[in-house]
Every structure is written in C-alpha cells, then in structure tokens.
C-alpha cells in the first residue's frame, strides 16, 4: 500500500509539472523545459497510470473537452443523504464515542457530491440537493482538480465527498471581480456556483477539489469491517480522502486540540469536525432517526466569546463606492490571537445591533477564523451615518435593495473608485513596489492614507495605524517601506507608463521618452501633432496623451510626485537605432539575460519591438535551441524568418561598439 501511495503522489506531481509546462508553452509563449524532458515525464506518467490503473482528472494524458449544457438534470438518490446531529460540547461528543474506536475528520464546508464509477470509469456525479433529489453535474466533476477519471476497481463504486474551493483560490477569484457587490461572500457560495455551472470551462478555472468522506458501495471488497480501511482503500484508488485521526474516549481531547491548532492556517473551509464509528457493522446496526444517522456525529467549534468596548466605527470605502462599517473595539484575545476589529457588513446589521460608541459588546470568531460581533449588551444606538465619504469627502447616499441598506459615495472621482490606476502605478513594469497588492491598496485608500500617487511615498507618516491593520504588521510594514524607498529611484519610461494614461503601454512609454531625448519637460508640454510624428504613435494615442497633460490637475499631481522621486538619466544608448523598426520574438531559456523582460528592454531601447507570437511581421526569432522542432521554430522556418541564438543577437547589438 505504501508503494501505491508513493506512485499516486508521483502521478499528481508529474501532472502538475506537465500542466505548468503546457500552460507556459501554449498560453504564455515561453518554454520551461525541453521537448525531450516533457516527453520523458509524460511517458513516466503514462507508465504509472498503466501500472496503478488510475487516471487523475486533469492528467495531461487525457483530454476532457469543455462542454456547455442547457440545464442540470435532477436525479433521486438511491440512499437518502441525511444531515448529522451536532454539538458544541466536548462531553456530549465523548459520550457518543463510548468505548468505540472513532475516526475524527474535518467537517468541510463546501458542496456534498456523490460519485458513481462503473468498469473503472467515472459514470455519474450528483449533488446532495435536498438529500432526496440532487442535480447531475458529471460534466463538471470531470474537470475538478483531483478526481480520478479511471480507477483500478472495476465493480460499481459509490462514494460521497465534499467539493471545496480553497481560501487562496477564493481570494484570487474575488480579486478578479471589479464590482465589490458582485463578489462571493464565502468559499462555500463560490463552490456551489462553480460546481453547478452549465459550462464546465468555468468550473475548470475555479480549481474545485473533491475530498472523499464516505464509501457507500463497493461490492466484493473486504474492508475487515473498518471505516478506516475503506478510507485507505479509497486513497489507493486515487481519491484524496478527508484528513482524519483515530480517537477513543481518553484521547478525544488531544485529537480535538490537533485540529483546533490547525484551523487558523487551514486553507480549506471547515466549520467543525465529524466523528464516525470505525466498526461498520456496529454503526449500521444503530440505524437512524428521521433526520440523522446514528453512526456519526458533528462537532461544531464552540464560539469563544469575549466582552469588550466599542471604540469607533470605521467607514471603509471600496472601488464601487460602497462604504462598509467596521467595528473597532478594545483588543481581546480570541482563539489564541489578539483581535480589535470586525466587519459589520452593512447599515441594516449595524442598525439591528443598535451600536453606539462606548457600548459593551461580545465578539467571537466565526469558525474560529473571522471576527464578528455576537451581541450588543448596551444598545445605545447613538451612531450617526456619515453624510460624506471618508476618502474623498463627497456626498453619501443610502441604497436599499431587498430590505438591505448600504451606504455609497456619490462622487465619480472618488479615489477609492480609482483603485485600478493605483494598482497599475505600483505594478512591476511601472514603479515596481512590492507589498502593495490591490487588496492592500484598497485598505490604505479606504482609510484615507492614499489620495494621490505621491501619497504612496508618504505612507511612513501613518506607520502606527498601518502596523495595526489586519494582514499587515511590523515586518510587512518594514518590507513595504524598503520597497517604496527603492522605487524612489526610477526611470522616465516607468513613470510615464505608471501614470496610467489611456492607450500608453510600457513599449509606447519607452518610444515617447526616446523620441524626446528623455526630457520630461518637453514630453509633458508636447501637443498632439508633435506627438503623432513619433513612429508608432498614431493620432489617437497622441490625442489621449496630450489631453492628459492639458489638465492642470494632472500637471499639479505630477509635480507633487516628482518631489518624491529621483529620475535616472540613461547613459548614451549603444548604437542608437540599431534595431529600429525590427520585430523580435523571444522563446526558450536564456543564458546572458536574467529573463525575457531584461532582453526585451534592450531591444526596445535600441528601437525594436517584441511580440509574443511568430507572424509574417516578425523579423527575428531568438531561440538558443535554433534546431529544435518547437512550434515557433517551425512557424519561423515556414515563413522564412531567421532563427538566431542569443550570441548572434548580442553580436547584432554590439557590432558598432
């Protein structure tokens, strides 16, 4: 069994490596391994799949086509899916254990799915639904990240598990949704929507994972009357099984403590634990009530309540103009950490709690993670709803939708609504400031610390407030300040690109700076006609560029920003214009340059252009493996485009030195 486990782990590792290589090659126009290495790993994966009889979902050896359906058909479960009886009292759980060996596992917070395999192939996947009838989602289950499509067992297998989306993927997906109101409230909601998509291409992009927690049927297999043996057997078939620990009455406290110590850093949503008798016959003999099976029991985390005093309500503005109330209270210890803030979510909740400054409140961590207000013991209700936005000072208004009241900023120019421009300004090709993610920027802007680009370089003035913000701290603050200080020394193309002028990308910014001899004064006062004379800058781009600098407000903001920066003046360019009008494509690994961006910068400084794919407009393909059979090399040869090595490129740009 140990060998089988190692083989399955190696298969998962190989599938991940090969997927990354394919994504880099076909979607990102870059190669992270040779064709020889890819083929070698692919063949190793094929051999392991043949040996184990298991093929995992997402394996590069199989192609699961994306498919859209008009609706999800309904299907009745052969065996009703009951809820679990539950408790928050450890002694009640201990009483349930009695003298039985029991498996304690995570109670995952996602969507329960029933899988059926026949002849070793995934035949059907159905959601829990109402316990009696679920929706058929077979098409979507095939693109879950970790479900095996083929297994060694050839009989009929029915099992249950939880489809989940990790907190990491939840945050990534939410960050891609610009409208804050449209974001998902929690990973469970996102998972439910992802699993039930009509187009499984959307499901595939959500990184849904499946963790088995119950074997319903596998005829002809002897499990020695043990649920633990069932779990081990499912793992041998290629399934990820929910993590569990064996517990008895006298070891229950240690097992619960093991899970409690891990919940804060656990990346998969969980709202408690499940206790399941290991003895299959004993558990089945107990039968069930009308609502619950008697062989298992749920343990919900007991909320640790602390009483504290409300100090203030902080009004946090978002990019959509939504202004959310955040409660700030005297710090208390909860679940091993100090907390002093909790989101109140909206005006309706704030009003229902009758919050007021100085009120005595009780707070807890929902699922031992998210700080929440449980109760207001004073109920003074003396809060005033702000009439102006905390970020821009613009007028606010209250919106009511479906009985829920929310507060909005009405100013279209509110800085909180311009989060994207600040995100671009700190990005790698602009000012390159590490530590200022979009989420962090949103927090800082919402607190009123950032109103302009220049304010980013003055964040040190708000040190105390920032280190106390959730998700930051002393170390993060120091790293951020170091990154900001490094960004003070920058180049003119980075600055021009970072301003976020419409239609001005990194390459255009470099062309403009080169055309005006890196003279910012000339650049900022150039008219549209003069700008359009630059090769590669058409009338539309020239017009938007000139319009940006025709604004006195933008000019003043730039002057303020320049007071925080040192602009590096480039040395005389080597062989000016050597690559003028030439278009290059870079592929494969590099030896003389740290990465492709570094080589790209050299090409652009010499007047050239870099694109991602080979076409009739390409002048040179740069590839150190000039004889390889890669798709780019083949395309270049078909079009008669020279394939040159890095050494040949260096000779080209240095020949006039």
């Amino acid at each position: 069994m140990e060998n089988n486990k190692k083989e399955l782990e190696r298969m998962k590792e190989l599938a991940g490596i090969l997927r990354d290589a394919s994504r880099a090659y076909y979607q990102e126009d870059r190669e992270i391994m040779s064709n020889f290495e890819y083929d070698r790993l692919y063949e190793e994966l094929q051999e392991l799949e043949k040996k184990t009889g298991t093929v995992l979902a997402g394996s590069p050896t199989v192609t699961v086509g994306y498919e859209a359906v008009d609706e999800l058909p309904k299907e009745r479960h052969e065996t009703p899916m009951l809820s679990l009886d539950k408790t928050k009292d450890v002694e009640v759980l201990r009483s349930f254990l009695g003298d039985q060996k029991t498996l304690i596992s995570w109670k995952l917070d996602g969507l329960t799915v029933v899988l059926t395999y026949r002849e070793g192939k995934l035949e059907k996947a159905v959601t829990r639904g109402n316990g009696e009838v679920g929706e058929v989602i077979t098409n979507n289950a095939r693109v879950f990240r970790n479900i095996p499509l083929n297994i060694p067992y050839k009989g009929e297998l029915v099992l249950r598990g939880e489809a989940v989306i990790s907190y990491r993927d939840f945050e990534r997906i939410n960050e891609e949704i610009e409208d804050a109101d449209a974001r998902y409230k929690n990973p469970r909601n996102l998972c439910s929507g992802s699993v039930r998509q009509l187009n499984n291409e959307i499901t595939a992009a959500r990184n849904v994972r499946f963790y088995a927690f119950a074997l319903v049927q596998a005829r002809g297999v002897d499990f020695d009357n043990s649920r633990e043996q069932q779990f081990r057997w499912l793992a041998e078939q290629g399934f990820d099984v929910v993590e569990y620990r064996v517990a008895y009455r006298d070891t229950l406290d240690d097992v619960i403590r093991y899970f409690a110590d891990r919940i804060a850093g656990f990346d998969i949503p969980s709202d408690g634990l499940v206790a399941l008798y290991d003895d299959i016959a004993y558990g089945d003999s107990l039968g069930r009530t009308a609502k619950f099976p008697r062989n298992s029991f749920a343990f919900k985390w007991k909320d640790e309540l602390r009483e504290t005093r409300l100090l203030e309500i902080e009004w946090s503005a978002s990019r959509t103009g939504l202004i959310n109330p955040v409660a700030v209270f005297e710090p208390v210890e909860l679940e091993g950490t100090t907390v002093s803030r909790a989101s109140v979510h909206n005006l309706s909740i704030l009003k229902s709690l009758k919050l007021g400054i100085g009120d005595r409140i009780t707070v807890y961590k929902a699922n031992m993670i998210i700080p929440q207000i449980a109760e207001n013991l004073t109920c003074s209700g003396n809060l005033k709803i702000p009439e102006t936005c905390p970020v821009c000072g613009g007028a606010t208004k209250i919106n009511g939708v479906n009985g829920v009241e929310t507060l909005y900023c009405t100013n279209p120019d509110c800085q909180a609504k311009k989060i994207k421009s600040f995100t671009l300004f700190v990005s790698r090709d602009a000012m390159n400031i590490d530590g200022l993610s979009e989420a962090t920027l949103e927090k800082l802007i919402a607190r009123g610390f950032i109103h302009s680009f220049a304010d980013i370089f003055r964040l040190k003035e708000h040190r105390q407030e920032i280190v106390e913000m959730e998700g930051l701290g002393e170390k993060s603050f120091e790293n951020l300040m170091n990154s900001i200080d490094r960004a003070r020394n920058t180049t003119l193309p980075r600055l021009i690109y970072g301003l976020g002028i419409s239609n001005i990308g990194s390459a255009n910014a470099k062309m403009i700076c080169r055309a005006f001899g890196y003279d910012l004064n000339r650049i900022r006062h150039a008219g549209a006609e003069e700008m359009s004379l630059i090769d590669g800058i058409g009338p539309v781009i020239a017009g938007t560029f000139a319009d940006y600098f025709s604004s006195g407000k933008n000019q003043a903001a730039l002057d303020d920003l320049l007071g925080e920066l040192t602009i590096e003046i480039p040395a005389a360019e080597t062989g000016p214009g050597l690559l003028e009008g030439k278009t290059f494509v870079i592929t494969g690994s590099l030896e003389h340059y740290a990465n492709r961006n570094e080589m790209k910068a050299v090409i652009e400084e010499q007047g050239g252009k870099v694109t991602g794919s080979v076409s009739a407009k390409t002048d040179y393909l740069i590839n150190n493996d000039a004889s390889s059979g890669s798709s780019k090399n083949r395309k270049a040869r078909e079009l008669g485009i020279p394939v040159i090595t890095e050494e040949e490129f260096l000779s080209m740009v240095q020949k006039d030195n």
Side-chain angles (χ1 to χ4, degrees):
M1 191 173 92
E2 188 62 31
N3 285 340
N4 183 270
K5 182 179 179 181
K6 288 180 180 178
E7 288 164 347
L8 288 170
E9 288 301 316
R10 178 57 176 165
M11 287 165 60
K12 292 174 185 177
E13 180 185 15
L14 287 169
I17 294 170
L18 293 170
R19 278 197 301 267
D20 288 344
S22 293
R23 186 186 307 113
Y25 187 82
Y26 291 109
Q27 298 176 22
E28 301 170 6
D29 289 320
R30 61 190 183 94
E31 296 178 38
I32 59 177
M33 67 173 62
S34 67
N35 290 344
F36 177 83
E37 179 68 5
Y38 183 93
D39 291 343
R40 185 184 70 79
L41 297 178
Y42 187 93
E43 289 168 5
E44 182 186 351
L45 178 59
Q46 281 184 314
E47 286 301 313
L48 284 170
E49 289 177 343
K50 184 177 179 180
K51 180 179 179 182
T52 62
T54 300
V55 179
L56 301 172
S59 171
T61 65
V62 295
T63 301
V64 180
Y66 294 133
E67 181 182 341
V69 296
D70 295 327
E71 63 177 8
L72 295 174
K74 304 285 195 301
E75 182 171 300
R76 183 170 294 278
H77 296 296
E78 290 185 18
T79 306
M81 299 182 65
L82 305 178
S83 300
L84 296 182
D85 200 359
K86 55 184 177 290
T87 183
K88 291 185 177 182
D89 190 333
V90 175
E91 294 310 313
V92 172
L93 187 64
R94 198 188 314 276
S95 176
F96 168 80
L97 264 62
D99 59 359
Q100 291 292 316
K101 172 185 175 182
T102 306
L103 309 182
I104 305 291
S105 64
W106 292 112
K107 184 175 183 295
L108 300 181
D109 192 16
L111 192 71
T112 300
V113 175
V114 184
L115 302 181
T116 301
Y117 288 77
R118 290 191 177 96
E119 299 298 325
K121 296 181 180 180
L122 175 64
E123 182 177 274
K124 185 172 57 180
V126 184
T127 66
R128 180 186 187 279
N130 63 6
E132 298 282 344
V133 178
E135 292 174 303
V136 179
I137 57 153
T138 313
N139 194 36
N140 293 331
R142 292 184 188 280
V143 296
F144 286 2
R145 292 289 292 177
N146 63 335
I147 279 185
L149 302 179
N150 298 77
I151 60 175
Y153 177 68
K154 301 307 177 187
E156 181 173 319
L157 168 64
V158 182
L159 71 152
R160 295 171 182 168
E162 199 79 355
V164 294
I165 288 179
S166 70
Y167 283 112
R168 188 180 296 111
D169 283 320
F170 168 72
E171 290 166 3
R172 171 184 61 81
I173 293 166
N174 257 354
E175 283 182 2
E176 294 170 358
I177 302 173
E178 293 193 13
D179 184 353
D181 293 343
R183 292 177 184 169
Y184 294 91
K185 302 303 180 188
N186 53 58
R188 188 188 187 284
N189 287 356
L190 173 59
C191 184
S192 177
S194 301
V195 167
R196 299 167 60 251
Q197 287 289 329
L198 297 180
N199 184 342
N200 69 344
E201 187 170 5
I202 298 173
T203 306
R206 300 283 176 81
N207 285 352
V208 180
R209 296 179 183 276
F210 176 88
Y211 291 90
F213 62 66
L215 191 154
V216 179
Q217 176 183 308
R219 291 192 180 96
V221 183
D222 182 8
F223 297 112
D224 197 25
N225 194 39
S226 168
R227 295 289 181 189
E228 185 174 18
Q229 288 301 320
Q230 288 184 338
F231 280 6
R232 290 175 176 172
W233 183 81
L234 285 171
E236 290 176 11
Q237 299 298 308
F239 295 96
D240 283 338
V241 176
V242 65
E243 182 184 9
Y244 69 91
R245 287 289 185 274
V246 173
Y248 297 90
R249 284 182 64 100
D250 57 349
T251 63
L252 180 62
D253 292 327
D254 290 338
V255 171
I256 290 178
R257 191 176 302 113
Y258 166 81
F259 286 103
D261 288 345
R262 295 193 59 216
I263 185 67
F266 197 47
D267 196 34
I268 300 171
S270 167
D271 56 358
L273 303 173
V274 173
L276 173 67
Y277 292 137
D278 180 63
D279 188 320
I280 298 174
Y282 173 75
D284 290 348
S285 72
L286 300 175
R288 68 185 198 190
T289 68
K291 293 177 62 179
F292 310 120
R294 288 196 172 100
N295 68 342
S296 52
F297 212 93
F299 176 75
K300 305 283 283 187
W301 300 116
K302 188 172 184 179
D303 298 324
E304 183 181 354
L305 291 174
R306 289 287 182 270
E307 185 177 326
T308 183
R309 186 169 69 91
L310 183 66
L311 300 177
E312 66 172 307
I313 291 292
E314 187 179 279
W315 297 92
S316 177
S318 74
R319 73 191 72 169
T320 62
L322 181 66
I323 303 173
N324 284 325
V326 178
V328 180
F329 44 83
E330 291 178 345
V332 291
E333 288 288 321
L334 277 177
E335 313 292 354
T337 62
T338 302
V339 295
S340 59
R341 300 160 60 80
S343 173
V344 189
H345 302 297
N346 55 55
L347 295 187
S348 294
I349 294 176
L350 182 135
K351 290 178 179 179
S352 68
L353 287 168
K354 298 180 181 178
L355 291 175
I357 304 305
D359 281 352
R360 301 301 301 179
I361 59 175
T362 56
V363 294
Y364 71 104
K365 278 188 177 180
N367 292 336
M368 300 177 70
I369 298 173
I370 306 167
Q372 302 277 291
I373 296 177
E375 186 181 4
N376 185 357
L377 305 176
T378 312
C379 295
S380 68
N382 62 18
L383 282 177
K384 287 186 65 176
I385 308 302
E387 297 179 354
T388 58
C389 172
V391 175
C392 70
T396 62
K397 70 172 182 178
I398 297 174
N399 285 350
V401 179
N402 297 327
V404 177
E405 288 187 338
T406 50
L407 188 67
Y408 278 86
C409 171
T410 60
N411 176 16
D413 294 321
C414 178
Q415 289 89 342
K417 297 179 182 180
K418 296 183 176 180
I419 184 71
K420 288 296 183 186
S421 65
F422 288 99
T423 303
L424 172 66
F425 181 76
V426 303
S427 66
R428 185 182 61 185
D429 290 335
M431 303 308 291
N432 194 24
I433 301 177
D434 289 330
L436 279 180
S437 66
E438 191 166 307
T440 301
L441 278 167
E442 193 165 8
K443 290 178 185 177
L444 297 173
I445 291 168
R447 295 289 294 271
F449 298 156
I450 298 176
H451 297 272
S452 67
F453 293 146
D455 286 339
I456 291 173
F457 296 91
R458 297 191 278 256
L459 284 174
K460 192 171 287 187
E461 299 171 6
H462 306 285
R463 177 190 184 94
Q464 193 57 43
E465 298 98 319
I466 293 174
V467 297
E468 293 175 358
M469 290 173 65
E470 188 175 351
L472 292 165
E474 291 284 354
K475 184 66 175 176
S476 296
F477 182 81
E478 290 303 323
N479 291 338
L480 175 58
M481 289 304 105
N482 290 335
S483 183
I484 287 173
D485 285 340
R486 286 193 298 270
R488 290 181 185 277
N489 294 295
T490 190
T491 65
L492 192 55
R494 283 182 175 275
L495 173 60
I496 296 297
Y497 170 62
L499 294 177
I501 304 169
S502 182
N503 299 316
I504 300 298
S506 178
N508 287 340
K510 290 173 182 175
M511 283 193 291
I512 290 169
C513 291
R514 196 162 50 242
F516 284 93
Y518 295 89
D519 186 334
L520 178 57
N521 194 52
R522 287 180 60 200
I523 292 171
R524 67 194 295 185
H525 292 105
E529 186 176 348
E530 184 180 7
M531 191 66 61
S532 64
L533 295 175
I534 301 172
D535 185 30
I537 302 294
V540 174
I541 296 177
T544 56
F545 194 90
D547 285 346
Y548 179 89
F549 285 109
S550 68
S551 164
K553 183 178 178 181
N554 289 340
Q555 290 278 12
L558 177 57
D559 286 333
D560 188 26
L561 176 59
L562 289 172
E564 302 291 339
L565 303 176
T566 299
I567 307 297
E568 299 173 3
I569 306 299
E573 294 178 356
T574 304
L578 280 175
L579 307 180
E580 197 72 41
K582 301 295 184 184
T583 300
F584 294 79
V585 173
I586 309 169
T587 190
S589 58
L590 300 174
E591 298 172 3
H592 296 279
Y593 294 94
N595 50 48
R596 294 184 192 177
N597 278 339
E598 187 174 291
M599 179 180 254
K600 179 182 176 183
V602 171
I603 292 171
E604 290 175 345
E605 285 170 5
Q606 300 292 336
K609 180 181 178 183
V610 177
T611 61
S613 57
V614 176
S615 71
K617 295 182 179 179
T618 305
D619 292 291
Y620 296 97
L621 171 64
I622 302 173
N623 187 351
N624 281 327
D625 188 3
S627 61
S628 84
S630 70
S631 60
K632 286 189 175 70
N633 277 27
R634 290 196 300 269
K635 186 70 175 289
R637 292 192 188 99
E638 288 172 9
L639 296 173
I641 294 166
V643 181
I644 63 173
T645 64
E646 206 175 346
E647 291 287 352
E648 290 171 309
F649 171 76
L650 288 170
S651 298
M652 183 185 295
V653 295
Q654 295 172 356
K655 64 183 179 182
D656 282 356
N657 277 6

